[in-house]
């Protein structure tokens, strides 16, 4: 439970009861997912991105370097959610299936939203 009320990232579509929605959300890796928003940690509390504010969503396989610029890399999936026409927020997932869970939740509420799903399997790039 967040100490502070979750704050909206997109100012165009705030939720009526973000604290109640957060309580009803479920954990997907380091994020929280409800039927109406995705919640993520931010200083000094929690922020959320309402699915109603989204203009586009996509996933891409990428990698995160473990030893600096050269060497080993951890394969991850980036979920990029565009909102308020020209802004976006990236979310990083260890598993493509978890990023697809978020896309499925968005598609349930917004079936008309343009989405691009990654089809390749994850591997270190």
């Amino acid at each position: 439970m967040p100490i502070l009320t979750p704050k909206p990232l997109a100012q165009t579509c705030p939720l009526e009861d973000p604290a109640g929605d957060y309580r009803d959300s479920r954990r997907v890796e380091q994020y929280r997912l409800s039927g109406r928003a995705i919640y993520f940690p931010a200083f000094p509390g929690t922020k959320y991105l309402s699915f109603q504010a989204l203009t586009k969503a996509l996933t891409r396989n990428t990698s995160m370097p473990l030893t600096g610029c050269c060497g080993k890399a951890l394969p991850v999936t980036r979920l990029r959610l565009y909102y308020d026409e020209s802004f976006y927020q990236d979310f990083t997932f260890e598993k493509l299936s978890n990023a697809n869970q978020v896309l499925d939740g968005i598609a349930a509420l917004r079936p008309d939203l343009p989405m691009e799903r990654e089809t390749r399997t994850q591997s270190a790039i």
Side-chain angles (χ1 to χ4, degrees):
M1 180 73 188
I3 295 172
L4 303 172
T5 301
K7 303 292 182 205
L9 186 61
Q11 302 302 320
T12 55
C13 299
L15 297 177
E16 290 179 18
D17 181 22
D21 191 55
Y22 182 89
R23 272 192 306 275
D24 296 337
S25 66
R26 70 182 195 286
R27 189 166 192 73
V28 179
E29 293 191 18
Q30 69 266 28
Y31 309 109
R32 306 276 312 175
L33 179 67
S34 75
R36 300 174 9 184
I38 184 168
Y39 296 85
F40 56 97
F43 185 78
T46 302
K47 288 195 174 188
Y48 68 88
L49 188 52
S50 169
F51 296 158
Q52 289 298 330
L54 299 180
T55 56
K56 184 179 177 182
L58 60 90
T59 55
R60 292 287 182 262
N61 285 335
T62 187
S63 60
M64 185 178 299
L66 299 175
T67 59
C69 66
C70 303
K72 297 180 182 180
L74 177 69
V76 295
T77 299
R78 179 187 70 216
L79 170 66
R80 181 168 284 180
L81 300 178
Y82 292 87
Y83 65 96
D84 290 350
E85 300 304 322
S86 60
F87 299 102
Y88 66 87
Q89 178 69 36
D90 285 337
F91 300 90
T92 305
F93 293 89
E94 289 182 30
K95 297 179 181 176
L96 177 60
S97 61
N98 290 334
N100 282 331
Q101 279 184 32
V102 177
L103 283 182
D104 293 341
I106 294 169
L109 186 66
R110 302 272 315 275
D112 60 323
L113 187 71
M115 288 188 192
E116 295 177 29
R117 291 181 187 256
E118 181 64 66
T119 56
R120 297 175 295 144
T121 58
Q122 284 181 309
S123 64
I125 298 173

